[in-house]
Amino acid sequence: MATGSPYVAVRGSTGISIHCGPPSYELVSAFKRDDSKFCKCMLFSPQGDYFAWANGKKVTIVNTSNWEVIAELDKPRVSALDFSPKGTYLATWELFTSSPDVSNGNLNLNIYKSANGEHLFACEQKRQTKWEPLWTGDEEYCTRNFKNDILFMKSSNLTEIENKLANQRIHDYSISPGSPPYHTLCYIPGKQGQPSLGKMFQYPKFDTPIACKSFFQADTVDAYWNKKGTGVLLMTTVEVDKTGSSYYGKQTLHFLSTKGETSIVQLSKEGPVHSVAWSPQSHEFCVIYGFMPSKATIFNTKCEPVFELGTGPRNSIYYNPHGNILLLGGFGNLPGNVEIWEVPARKFITKMVAQDTTLLSWSPEGTHFLTATTAPRLRICNGFKVWHYSGALLYERPWNKQEELWEVLWQRFPDGAFKIQPVSYKPVEGIASSQPAASKEAYRPPTARGKPVTFKLNDEESIPAGAQLSKSALKMKKKREAKKAAKAQANEVTNDGAASASPPPLKPQTNGLKTHLGEFTSDDPVKMKKMGRLKSKLMEIERLKEQQKAGKQLEINQLEKIKKEDQLLKEMRELAL
């Protein structure tokens, strides 16, 4: 078990520094701070033993046990770093260039030993997207894509090709993260009216795939493996939706297992797939999908929905390292709403707001998470905050207006380094944020500020005496009056001239609920909007009750919805009066 808290690395316009994690947050004096303004990247190894960064002059590797420098690589143009799964090897990438002296260009991808900086391998890699060489989980093999073939090399001898997956026109691929046997998922784009393919192979049996999924519409493909490497989600994306129903294109989610099983994930709401994440325990995954307010659902490995997390302004999923706490957030063009759930008990813990968040990550010990506002995404209000999962703000580090924050990283640790803490619903004492809260008042133009409000939201606005209506306004007024008169006449005919004092109460029978709800109406547009939302909730409750009668076992949150039926009916009657 690990002792103490993980460190936090900070990179910005003032250089790179290391801080202690909660509860001290002090600057680590043993680490010699790099004050360079050109620190392009930094990274902790997966086991947390090493920390590396590039500052525009060299690449430096330090040991995190004492923060002593163990290697300095003379690579001033490096702009990306990546460690192997156990941190034994460090890969660097720099911009590809060619010159008259070297006809084939420079060898811009290099691999070194992390422990001493020994150079092991170099090759060309022109594209920065997905430049990283992929290792198997035990680091036995290192792989890379070369001219649409996958090359397998033993890590002990990277210059010699051990095996090759060839003649498949592979555009992209991924390697399972678990222990042997090794599995490779390949994306093969279709051509001339043929479908694209997602094929899974077991190393070294490349003659026949163990699983295959075909699909016609795909501009990009993303693979999401579970931690054990037994299943993978394949998300296909069409950048332009030809039906015109979505600005974000169209996504489809497929599932493939190492046992050869394949299926498609059926989503119950129309719209894009915003985020997908596997539980670290590998037995279920969460998806946020649909037009805003988006829907969140947890599925099992049979692609069956097991728990509904409701709808809301959310587009991001973050499981803590133990998989017992789930965070759902709405960032980017959303206001920063955060919901936190206890996964095993399927219980809601708390909700909060982390506005202007561009980066979020869980601490390796699983009870704290970090949010940051970074440049270039946002160049104002830069800084980072540390939160407890109960929603309490524990630490805040704002940046000066002249400075920029680029990146914040937790130190990483191997699995099992921290003991799983039981989830508590008691609030933890925190601090107040120095960041001003967003105003909840309606916007008013400068010329209207400090004056009484004279406008209304409804169509039935009062017209000042002596005011002359335009032709279009007069036409709309006549239409409204004619509509009201026709409605009043219809009511008189139905009720034999007797005005109804109150709307009829809802019948206790569930049959024909939609018809009875339609009898409730109001002339006020604001009330009609509220009644529409209530009707949707009541229809959902009716559907759940029918499923319950049919013998289906409902989830806890679905049973809670049914209990709210009487309260919703009462609100409906009050609005209709």
Side-chain angles (χ1 to χ4, degrees):
M1 292 289 178
T3 58
S5 60
Y7 294 106
V8 178
V10 180
R11 180 173 68 91
S13 58
T14 57
I16 290 178
S17 59
I18 304 291
H19 300 257
C20 294
S24 66
Y25 310 104
E26 295 177 356
L27 196 67
V28 178
S29 57
F31 175 78
K32 186 177 179 181
R33 177 171 178 154
D34 190 333
D35 295 326
S36 172
K37 296 181 180 180
F38 306 101
C39 294
K40 299 179 181 179
C41 54
M42 65 178 183
L43 192 64
F44 280 103
S45 65
Q47 307 288 339
D49 301 328
Y50 305 108
F51 176 68
W53 75 94
N55 63 2
K57 295 181 180 179
K58 58 186 177 181
V59 176
T60 307
I61 308 173
V62 298
N63 192 322
T64 57
S65 61
N66 52 19
W67 300 107
E68 291 184 0
V69 176
I70 56 178
E72 291 183 341
L73 313 176
D74 186 18
K75 287 289 182 180
R77 300 176 67 250
V78 167
S79 58
L81 301 170
D82 187 52
F83 279 100
S84 59
K86 293 184 177 180
T88 309
Y89 306 99
L90 173 66
T92 67
W93 184 90
E94 56 189 81
L95 188 66
F96 178 83
T97 58
S98 59
S99 63
D101 299 335
V102 183
S103 58
N104 295 329
N106 66 329
L107 305 179
N108 60 323
L109 193 157
N110 293 269
I111 298 178
Y112 303 86
K113 249 189 180 175
S114 304
N116 53 20
E118 177 188 353
H119 186 265
L120 301 176
F121 179 72
C123 66
E124 292 181 9
Q125 176 61 38
K126 295 183 180 180
R127 293 188 306 168
Q128 186 174 6
T129 54
K130 300 187 178 180
W131 67 269
E132 302 92 341
L134 300 181
W135 272 270
T136 55
D138 57 1
E139 294 186 348
E140 181 70 19
Y141 291 96
C142 176
T143 69
R144 66 187 185 97
N145 192 336
F146 179 71
K147 295 182 178 179
N148 295 332
D149 295 336
I150 301 177
L151 308 182
F152 289 78
M153 304 161 289
K154 280 202 169 184
S155 297
S156 56
N157 185 9
L158 293 172
T159 57
E160 183 178 342
I161 298 174
E162 180 80 11
N163 211 327
K164 182 190 295 186
L165 178 52
N167 303 321
Q168 293 285 343
R169 297 186 298 106
I170 297 170
H171 183 268
D172 194 11
Y173 77 105
S174 62
I175 302 291
S176 61
S179 56
Y182 314 119
H183 295 89
T184 304
L185 179 67
C186 305
Y187 164 52
I188 303 168
K191 64 175 184 178
Q192 298 177 353
Q194 296 179 351
S196 300
L197 298 173
K199 290 184 178 182
M200 182 185 292
F201 297 91
Q202 180 178 319
Y203 181 87
K205 303 174 183 178
F206 297 144
D207 296 332
T208 306
I210 61 174
C212 183
K213 196 72 180 175
S214 62
F215 39 87
F216 274 97
Q217 297 180 337
D219 293 323
T220 60
V221 172
D222 297 297
Y224 304 89
W225 285 91
N226 62 15
K227 201 169 186 178
K228 294 180 179 178
T230 57
V232 60
L233 292 168
L234 193 67
M235 186 168 73
T236 63
T237 303
V238 179
E239 294 179 357
V240 178
D241 186 0
K242 294 182 180 180
T243 64
S245 60
S246 175
Y247 171 80
Y248 300 97
K250 186 178 181 181
Q251 292 84 18
T252 308
L253 208 55
H254 306 271
F255 172 77
L256 297 89
S257 76
T258 54
K259 296 179 181 179
E261 302 166 344
T262 63
S263 60
I264 187 169
V265 182
Q266 299 290 345
L267 304 176
S268 59
K269 187 174 184 180
E270 289 290 331
V273 176
H274 301 283
S275 184
V276 180
W278 278 96
S279 165
Q281 299 175 3
S282 300
H283 67 287
E284 62 186 21
F285 60 91
C286 183
V287 185
I288 292 180
Y289 56 96
F291 297 113
M292 291 295 164
S294 58
K295 191 175 184 180
T297 305
I298 295 177
F299 296 86
N300 59 19
T301 51
K302 295 181 181 179
C303 299
E304 299 171 340
V306 295
F307 189 67
E308 298 286 353
L309 296 162
T311 60
R314 304 166 298 193
N315 58 9
S316 305
I317 304 170
Y318 301 91
Y319 279 95
N320 78 336
H322 305 309
N324 63 332
I325 300 177
L326 173 63
L327 185 150
L328 305 178
F331 306 120
N333 59 345
L334 298 177
N337 295 344
V338 173
E339 295 178 11
I340 302 176
W341 294 75
E342 183 184 1
V343 180
R346 309 289 198 229
K347 286 186 178 181
F348 177 76
I349 299 176
T350 189
K351 63 180 179 179
M352 47 175 277
V353 177
Q355 61 185 15
D356 299 335
T357 295
T358 59
L359 182 152
L360 188 149
S361 60
W362 279 96
S363 167
E365 41 83 23
T367 60
H368 299 88
F369 63 93
L370 178 150
T371 63
T373 304
T374 58
R377 178 67 179 83
L378 287 174
R379 298 188 184 276
I380 59 171
C381 300
N382 281 190
F384 71 91
K385 302 173 182 178
V386 177
W387 307 75
H388 188 261
Y389 68 83
S390 63
L393 176 62
L394 303 180
Y395 177 75
E396 182 179 27
R397 166 70 167 87
W399 249 241
N400 297 329
K401 291 183 178 179
Q402 296 79 13
E403 301 173 356
E404 289 184 354
L405 174 64
W406 298 334
E407 189 179 10
V408 186
L409 291 177
W410 288 103
Q411 182 188 10
R412 300 162 74 182
F413 281 84
D415 294 338
F418 292 93
K419 185 179 179 181
I420 301 178
Q421 300 294 328
V423 177
S424 173
Y425 291 82
K426 294 181 180 179
V428 174
E429 185 178 356
I431 62 173
S433 175
S434 63
Q435 188 175 1
S439 175
K440 296 182 180 180
E441 296 182 1
Y443 172 77
R444 299 188 67 192
T447 55
R449 292 172 189 171
K451 298 179 181 179
V453 179
T454 58
F455 59 89
K456 294 184 179 180
L457 295 177
N458 299 343
D459 290 337
E460 292 83 1
E461 297 180 356
S462 58
I463 307 299
Q468 202 169 15
L469 295 176
S470 63
K471 290 183 179 180
S472 59
L474 187 61
K475 187 176 180 182
M476 289 300 297
K477 183 181 178 182
K478 289 180 179 179
K479 280 186 177 181
R480 288 195 298 269
E481 291 175 351
K483 190 176 180 181
K484 282 184 178 181
K487 188 175 180 180
Q489 187 177 0
N491 289 337
E492 289 177 4
V493 172
T494 304
N495 300 321
D496 296 326
S500 177
S502 62
L506 283 176
K507 296 183 180 180
Q509 292 85 359
T510 57
N511 295 332
L513 177 63
K514 189 173 182 179
T515 304
H516 297 306
L517 289 177
E519 297 175 3
F520 291 87
T521 184
S522 174
D523 293 335
D524 190 342
V526 177
K527 287 186 177 181
M528 283 297 295
K529 191 173 181 180
K530 292 180 181 179
M531 291 170 72
R533 288 196 289 264
L534 291 173
K535 289 177 183 178
S536 299
K537 292 179 181 179
L538 288 166
M539 292 303 298
E540 175 69 14
I541 291 173
E542 173 66 14
R543 186 180 65 82
L544 293 175
K545 288 167 71 175
E546 290 176 358
Q547 293 179 357
Q548 192 178 35
K549 286 182 181 179
K552 182 178 179 180
Q553 187 175 1
L554 300 182
E555 297 291 340
I556 298 175
N557 61 331
Q558 293 175 327
L559 294 172
E560 292 294 329
K561 284 183 180 180
I562 295 177
K563 292 179 182 179
K564 295 179 181 178
E565 183 179 17
D566 293 337
Q567 180 184 349
L568 296 176
L569 290 172
K570 183 180 178 182
E571 292 180 15
M572 179 72 81
R573 293 190 185 99
E574 291 175 353
L575 288 172
L577 289 176

